[in-house]
Amino acid sequence: MSVVINEVSDRILTVTINRPDKLNALNPEVMEGLAAAFESARGDEAVGAVILTGAGEKAFIAGADVTIFRTFTPVSARAFARKGQALLDTIETLGKPVIAAVNGFALGGGCEVALACTLRVASKTARLGQPEVNLGIIPGYGGSQRLPRLVGKGRALEMLLTGDMVSADEAWRIGLVNRVVEPAELLPASREILKKILAKAPVAIRCVLDAVNAGLDMPFAVAEDHEATLFGLCVATDDMKEGVSAFLEKRPAKFTGK
Ligand code: COA
């Protein structure tokens, strides 16, 4: 059985990390499987959105596979971090919404993967944290950058410095996850959010993702200029004409992505 399972239904690709006996820890095989899944999802027109989750009831991803750490040199560890960062950048800039369905522990690299997703839906049993300092290291998959951008510098520093895990409810309170649901509702609730997004104008959805993701890395004035360009692009779409007409004619819009 593959360590990464991919299933498409109703234009939603569900990617499940399938290493439950090791709490879905990220070994090279899992990283390769995830890279292949997201690279193929990017160009696949049959895929409009992605749910990423972990097999079993205990863990989303309990981090990078710690057994590998013993073999590291400074040079190989840097390469390991850069490769992981590239995968998470691919997830973040996929151009399609990605939901992390956090079904249990999301620690270290697991929390970082969740941070790179567009949205995070957590089961009530989920626990999230960046425990790298317990191992004498720091996050290497962008966590020191994405966590403060999401929850603010003070809360991020507390998590990064103490290594403490937060409960799903606490993660919701600080904005680390978007929703907290019963375990049985995790995948249905994630699908419901994605179905809502998939019913909107596809070009506009891609432009929102780009305006926010690219814009946050730009100086404010440059980001505003980028936003205005994307706004202008949307005005050129059939979907904009359809959306405005449907509103004025008091009927549901039928978007084509053109
Ligand atoms: N890397 C490699 N193996 C891991 C792992 C990781 N990040 N996290 C868990 N595992 C393995 C355990 O070694 C154990 O394997 P074994 O059955 O062969 O001994 C198995 O998964 C189950 O984990 P276990 O620790 O027995 O479960 P638990 O319920 O007692 O504890 C955690 C759960 C998540 C608290 C604990 O596994 C943990 O702290 N994991 C490491 C988290 C971490 O530091 N991640 C960041 C790495 S940078």
Side-chain angles (χ1 to χ4, degrees):
M1 181 67 103
S2 169
V3 290
V4 175
I5 300 167
N6 301 311
E7 291 164 308
V8 183
S9 147
D10 295 332
R11 302 197 61 229
I12 300 171
L13 167 68
T14 302
V15 178
T16 307
I17 301 174
N18 185 32
R19 238 193 133 202
D21 54 323
K22 298 291 179 190
L23 306 189
N24 302 317
L26 300 169
N27 67 2
E29 212 184 336
V30 173
M31 294 298 275
E32 293 299 329
L34 289 177
F38 280 95
E39 283 304 342
S40 115
R42 184 194 291 283
D44 187 345
E45 284 189 11
V47 173
V50 183
I51 294 174
L52 176 60
T53 195
E57 286 166 11
K58 210 167 158 184
F60 172 66
I61 303 168
D65 193 316
V66 175
T67 58
I68 300 164
F69 291 9
R70 280 192 161 154
T71 66
F72 277 161
T73 65
V75 172
S76 68
R78 185 176 195 283
F80 168 92
R82 295 301 285 162
K83 198 169 173 189
Q85 289 167 353
L87 169 60
L88 271 60
D89 290 349
T90 300
I91 295 174
E92 186 167 52
T93 61
L94 194 71
K96 304 178 183 189
V98 182
I99 290 188
V102 183
N103 55 308
F105 290 112
L107 303 175
C111 189
E112 292 175 290
V113 168
L115 290 168
C117 293
T118 318
L119 302 173
R120 285 145 294 282
V121 178
S123 142
K124 273 191 170 162
T125 56
R127 300 186 78 193
L128 298 91
Q130 297 288 166
E132 286 86 351
V133 287
N134 294 330
L135 303 174
I137 53 174
I138 71 165
Y141 288 175
S144 67
Q145 301 309 303
R146 288 195 180 93
L147 189 60
R149 281 169 171 79
L150 194 61
V151 303
K153 184 178 169 185
R155 287 179 175 128
L157 277 170
E158 185 176 346
M159 285 179 69
L160 292 163
L161 292 172
T162 64
D164 285 347
M165 297 183 212
V166 295
S167 67
D169 285 340
E170 176 68 357
W172 179 79
R173 199 183 66 77
I174 65 175
L176 179 50
V177 300
N178 297 80
R179 305 249 173 111
V180 179
V181 298
E182 294 294 337
E185 285 306 307
L186 184 63
L187 293 181
S190 301
R191 293 187 76 82
E192 215 43 55
I193 296 169
L194 290 176
K195 276 186 189 165
K196 185 180 271 189
I197 297 172
L198 286 172
K200 313 294 179 195
V203 176
I205 292 301
R206 277 204 302 281
C207 288
V208 167
L209 290 167
D210 190 42
V212 173
N213 282 326
L216 277 177
D217 288 336
M218 295 174 183
F220 191 84
V222 180
E224 278 191 318
D225 193 52
H226 183 57
E227 180 191 68
T229 303
L230 294 171
F231 183 82
L233 172 72
C234 288
V235 169
T237 60
D238 290 350
D239 283 346
M240 185 265 197
K241 293 180 191 77
E242 166 64 8
V244 172
S245 301
F247 174 79
L248 296 174
E249 291 160 20
K250 301 190 189 306
R251 61 172 174 84
K254 277 192 189 158
F255 295 119
T256 59
K258 290 179 182 153

